[in-house]
Amino acid sequence: MTAAMNRRSLLGLGASLGFTVNLFGTQTFAASESDLARKKLVVVICRGGMDGLSVSPPVGDQNYAALRGSIAMGRDQVLVLDDTFGLHPELKSVFALAQKGQARIAPAIASPDRARSHFEAQDVLETGSAQVYGAESGWLNRTLEALTPIRKVEGLSVGTTAPLILRGKVQAASWSPGKGVDETARLPTLLQDLYRSDPLLGPAFARGLETEAMAETAMAAQTSASAMSGPTPAMGAGGQNRGGVETARKLGSTLGGFMTQASGPQIAAVSLDGFDTHASQPGQIATRLAYMDAVLDGLHRGLGPEWKNTVVLVVTEFGRTARVNGTGGTDHGTASTGLILGGALKRGGIVGDWPGLADKALFENRDTAPTLDVRSLFKGVLADHMGVDRAILESKVFPDSANARAVTDLV
């Protein structure tokens, strides 16, 4: 609560999100820091091992149809990006952004882990370490720690529990979408009084109440905007999963509303589950991608003009096998497809290289081979978009990542 009050005071003095003009020498430098204070980053983690060859089917690859068999899609079924790649037909909002140059794919991206274990791969993805259990904190939390001496940056996790990616020395807020507290209940007030003098629980509880208040403000704003613009069309084949998709869109728009508030977070992490598609994959992946697409669409709408200052990264712990299995699904693999979106993104083609799906090109004769370390993507966005010092990226945020060179020219 104190930090939020300080920010509001600074805003009244002509600063933004913890930036004070008279701390620096010139107005020119102040304007640069003010620009950085508006930059936003959202990381969406698709848990379960999202199938990259479904996210962005390489329909132009001559080996794709044979490997995928019964779950292969034709060029006439996908949203065509270029001669090689399309997007899954449920990724309509992502495709619309891609048409504007505001969404790109990284079709062969992976973490350093090769074990194909959900727990181990998610640990490596979220800690940013080169090896399993190589760090106890998340790389997004270490990013907050690196930025704190320069300017105050808030973090927010969306979900029932704070993901490892945002755990660490810096306290980040959390928001779990769901039924709100009864307005007549006195428990929050009683607990606030009880914890007021506690040096740990007092600030933490006050921060939680502030986060809930921000959520109510954001949801009210989005509800008002939706009422003015009329109903949103259903998504999914034949309008399937309408309720889930609309919930997803509201989640995204509320998060966007959070991030546009004066004391709102600049960095957020969102977890989406259900991507472990061992059997009957086409129907499952269509439902999950429709949900993800709606979250991203809602975030785009909720951010409004602030979309131009935003980068969104969609990643997963590993991809899935290139070959279909005997139950119409795929098993744990290696490289997957990452999505990079945002109004701050530069127009361009794929990010990284495409290894192809020839037998000799597959990783261990089964998976899409990785050509891009996910840490390279993270490092590039943090340096060029969020303004994190490159030396600190190498030494503190992603130690032991010298072989993962930062992707440049994305923003």
Side-chain angles (χ1 to χ4, degrees):
M1 185 69 77
T2 302
M5 291 296 291
N6 287 342
R7 283 194 302 279
R8 283 192 287 271
S9 298
L10 288 171
L11 281 167
L13 295 173
S16 175
L17 289 175
F19 166 70
T20 308
V21 174
N22 60 14
L23 289 179
F24 302 97
T26 66
Q27 182 62 40
T28 301
F29 187 57
S32 175
E33 287 296 315
S34 181
D35 288 342
L36 283 174
R38 290 193 291 270
K39 301 299 183 183
K40 296 171 177 59
L41 172 63
V42 180
V43 180
V44 179
I45 301 175
C46 297
R47 300 188 185 278
M50 183 171 66
D51 180 38
L53 299 184
S54 290
V55 174
S56 58
V59 292
D61 189 303
Q62 61 182 353
N63 299 290
Y64 163 74
L67 282 171
R68 292 264 115 171
S70 62
I71 66 172
M73 285 183 273
R75 190 175 181 84
D76 60 338
Q77 295 175 285
V78 303
L79 304 170
V80 176
L81 292 174
D82 57 28
D83 291 341
T84 302
F85 296 100
L87 286 174
H88 190 281
E90 291 295 349
L91 295 177
K92 298 177 181 68
S93 300
V94 174
F95 181 68
L97 291 170
Q99 296 295 94
K100 299 176 183 178
Q102 296 178 6
R104 297 168 67 178
I105 63 170
I109 193 169
S111 79
D113 181 71
R114 299 289 180 267
R116 303 187 183 94
S117 158
H118 291 299
F119 301 106
E120 294 182 1
Q122 288 179 19
D123 179 89
V124 171
L125 176 69
E126 296 186 64
T127 63
S129 176
Q131 59 186 356
V132 179
Y133 311 129
E136 296 182 354
S137 60
W139 64 265
L140 267 184
N141 196 280
R142 296 196 298 274
T143 297
L144 294 174
E145 187 179 357
L147 289 172
T148 296
I150 304 169
R151 63 186 190 277
K152 182 64 177 176
V153 177
E154 297 284 353
L156 173 72
S157 66
V158 179
T160 53
T161 60
L164 175 56
I165 195 172
L166 263 174
R167 294 181 202 163
K169 294 180 180 179
V170 180
Q171 187 181 32
S174 61
W175 170 56
S176 179
K179 182 171 170 41
V181 177
D182 185 347
E183 292 180 358
T184 63
R186 297 181 61 235
L187 182 60
T189 301
L190 294 174
L191 289 176
Q192 190 173 25
D193 290 339
L194 178 64
Y195 295 151
R196 187 184 305 277
S197 59
D198 189 296
L200 179 63
L201 296 179
F205 191 77
R207 186 186 185 92
L209 291 179
E210 180 184 3
T211 301
E212 286 301 317
M214 288 173 60
E216 292 176 6
T217 300
M219 285 189 284
Q222 295 306 319
T223 300
S224 176
S226 298
M228 293 178 65
S229 61
T232 303
M235 294 180 63
Q240 66 179 0
N241 199 34
R242 181 187 181 102
V245 164
E246 292 308 317
T247 298
R249 185 174 287 107
K250 184 174 182 180
L251 184 154
S253 64
T254 301
L255 173 59
F258 258 126
M259 300 185 80
T260 60
Q261 294 183 45
S263 57
Q266 284 179 255
I267 290 177
V270 183
S271 293
L272 303 180
D273 297 317
F275 287 91
D276 199 11
T277 51
H278 286 282
S280 305
Q281 179 171 294
Q284 290 187 63
I285 197 71
T287 299
R288 298 315 301 153
L289 292 180
Y291 188 94
M292 180 182 77
D293 188 71
V295 170
L296 297 172
D297 181 45
L299 180 62
H300 175 215
R301 299 183 188 200
L303 283 165
E306 287 303 306
W307 178 252
K308 69 179 182 296
N309 295 315
T310 302
V311 170
V312 182
L313 302 177
V314 181
V315 293
T316 189
E317 69 263 36
F318 49 61
R320 309 195 72 80
T321 50
R323 294 184 178 89
V324 63
N325 64 23
T327 57
T330 52
D331 301 315
H332 298 177
T334 307
S336 185
T337 295
L339 297 176
I340 309 99
L341 312 94
L345 189 67
K346 284 185 178 179
R347 180 182 290 273
I350 68 169
V351 179
D353 297 319
W354 174 241
L357 296 176
D359 285 347
K360 64 180 180 181
L362 295 179
F363 180 73
E364 297 184 348
N365 194 36
R366 52 171 279 162
D367 305 334
T368 304
T371 64
L372 180 66
D373 190 316
V374 71
R375 295 172 299 170
S376 296
L377 177 62
F378 297 157
K379 287 162 72 173
V381 171
L382 290 179
D384 295 342
H385 180 61
M386 297 302 294
V388 181
D389 181 81
R390 291 181 183 275
I392 293 178
L393 278 175
E394 299 292 343
S395 62
K396 299 291 181 63
V397 182
F398 295 102
D400 302 321
S401 67
N403 61 333
R405 300 182 60 183
V407 175
T408 58
D409 208 34
L410 281 177
V411 297

